[in-house]
């Protein structure tokens, strides 16, 4: 339970880079950050400002070709905000209904940790195609992955699988491999037990953190690096499991444009 508040498994980092990797393999992608405890997309993508409104629709911001909307755009920096259930629900509904997401192949949603109002609101507002659970190989987060799985089952959201973040560290010069946060094989074992696949493994890499701090995610900042490759592999697995829906491909149906929606659970 304590792990929830602490965070740090790399959920937002995976959300951002997965979105960019999906774009890299040819899809149109939006990214929605509803992490009420600490929306990090503005920092990770290096964008700020407030979204414009046109024709009563909120226009998402643009970053690296992605359409982006974040709670962070609506908050003042350094102001701790405590959002209560009904507010969270209202904001998530508005972000899904009133933001112009038309014409996208995928909408990636960066969820807050925990098993609460935000997840419920999301699942009740739009059809959620699938959930991707991010974890590190450490035992504690594995327990949370199991809880997340259970929650999405209850909400009738398909859990696509688990992403093992910080799976290993490869010494650049010698290619020696170290397991800093535990052995990724443990995640695979747990995934087996939970009858869900491991969708991908993202190594621990300094460029990931540097890219995040600099507002230039590794997939665009280091397009040829092994980590980027890992994200592209992950994107391919995700896209294969959930191809963009065929209907509305020509950009019709502005009311319900979401053709693929993935939510992330921090574990
Ligand atoms: P969360 O959203 O789960 O709280 P973040 O995505 O904010 O986690 O990541 C927490 C920290 O870990 C950030 O500094 C981020 O840059 C770093 N990080 C995440 N994934 C990796 C990785 N694969 N390699 C190195 N650093 C990472």
């Amino acid at each position: 339970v304590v792990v929830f508040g602490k965070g740090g498994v790399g959920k937002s980092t995976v959300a951002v880079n997965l979105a960019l990797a999906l774009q890299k393999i040819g899809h149109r992608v939006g990214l929605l950050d509803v992490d009420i405890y600490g929306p990090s997309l503005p920092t990770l993508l290096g964008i700020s400002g407030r979204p414009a409104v046109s024709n009563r629709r909120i226009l998402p911001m643009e970053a690296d070709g992605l359409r982006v909307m974040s709670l962070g755009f609506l908050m003042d920096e350094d102001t701790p905000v405590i959002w209560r259930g009904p507010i969270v629900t209202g904001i998530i509904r508005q972000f899904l209904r009133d933001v112009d997401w038309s014409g996208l192949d995928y909408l990636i949603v960066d969820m807050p940790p925990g098993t609460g109002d935000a997840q419920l609101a999301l699942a009740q507002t739009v059809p959620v195609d699938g959930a991707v659970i991010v974890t590190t190989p450490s035992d504690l987060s594995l327990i949370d992955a199991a809880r997340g799985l259970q929650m999405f089952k209850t909400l009738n959201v398909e859990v696509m699988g688990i992403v093992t973040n910080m799976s290993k560290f490869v010494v650049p010069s010698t290619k020696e491999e170290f397991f800093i946060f535990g052995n990724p094989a443990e995640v695979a074992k747990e995934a087996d037990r939970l009858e869900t696949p491991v969708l991908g493994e993202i190594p621990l890499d300094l460029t990931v953190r540097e890219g995040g701090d600099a507002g230039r995610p590794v997939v665009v900042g280091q397009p040829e690096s092994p980590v980027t490759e890992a994200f592209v592999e992950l994107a391919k697995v995700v896209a294969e499991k959930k191809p963009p829906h065929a209907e509305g491909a020509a950009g019709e149906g502005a009311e319900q444009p979401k053709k693929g929606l993935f939510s992330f659970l921090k574990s």
Side-chain angles (χ1 to χ4, degrees):
V1 172
V2 182
V3 195
F4 277 40
K6 273 194 194 164
V9 297
K11 170 202 56 125
S12 299
T13 303
V14 171
V16 166
N17 284 291
L18 171 59
L20 288 165
L22 279 165
Q23 181 175 261
K24 195 171 165 144
I25 61 173
H27 299 294
R28 294 160 299 183
V29 187
L31 190 52
L32 171 60
D33 169 19
V34 286
D35 190 338
I36 42 180
Y37 302 107
S40 48
L41 280 201
T43 313
L44 287 174
L45 287 163
I47 40 176
S48 60
R50 300 209 181 236
V53 177
S54 159
N55 261 340
R56 296 172 151 227
R57 290 184 84 84
I58 304 169
L59 302 178
M61 311 274 276
E62 286 252 351
D64 299 316
L66 298 175
R67 268 193 262 167
V68 184
M69 189 65 203
S70 169
L71 274 179
F73 299 146
L74 309 180
M75 293 177 176
D76 288 323
E77 258 174 71
D78 305 326
T79 313
V81 183
I82 300 171
W83 306 84
R84 294 279 168 220
I87 301 178
V88 172
T89 305
I91 289 177
I92 289 179
R93 293 225 167 105
Q94 187 171 26
F95 274 7
L96 290 166
R97 289 177 181 159
D98 299 344
V99 173
D100 182 10
W101 297 115
S102 56
L104 293 181
D105 296 320
Y106 295 96
L107 180 64
I108 307 285
V109 183
D110 187 0
M111 296 294 294
T115 50
D117 299 313
Q119 285 78 4
L120 191 63
L122 186 83
Q124 286 176 340
T125 309
V126 290
V128 180
D129 274 350
V132 173
I133 295 181
V134 181
T135 187
T136 69
S138 85
D139 282 356
L140 270 177
S141 23
L142 282 180
I143 291 166
D144 291 328
R147 296 183 82 184
L149 222 83
Q150 197 49 49
M151 174 192 65
F152 284 117
K153 242 184 215 158
T154 312
L155 294 175
N156 275 324
V157 171
E158 180 191 328
V159 173
M160 297 171 63
I162 298 177
V163 173
T164 313
N165 190 29
M166 313 195 206
S167 59
K168 61 181 179 190
F169 176 72
V170 184
V171 181
S173 53
T174 63
K175 303 285 177 244
E176 235 182 313
E177 295 186 358
F178 292 95
F179 299 142
I180 311 279
F181 293 105
N183 191 329
E186 293 297 319
V187 179
K189 227 193 278 171
E190 179 75 356
D192 253 8
R193 195 178 68 76
L194 299 168
E195 296 178 347
T196 192
V198 173
L199 300 170
E201 294 187 352
I202 310 298
L204 178 72
D205 195 304
L206 189 60
T207 60
V208 174
R209 194 184 54 73
E210 286 173 345
D213 290 349
R216 193 153 170 73
V218 69
V219 167
V220 288
Q222 310 273 333
E224 309 295 338
S225 69
V227 199
T228 295
E229 231 166 80
F231 278 117
V232 169
E233 280 313 306
L234 172 64
K236 285 181 184 163
V237 171
V238 166
E240 190 168 311
K241 273 185 166 284
K242 295 284 172 190
H245 298 190
E247 80 268 23
E252 339 144 22
E255 284 317 307
Q256 202 50 277
K258 288 156 288 295
K259 297 173 196 134
L261 180 71
F262 302 95
S263 63
F264 280 77
L265 176 85
K266 168 147 54 180
S267 44

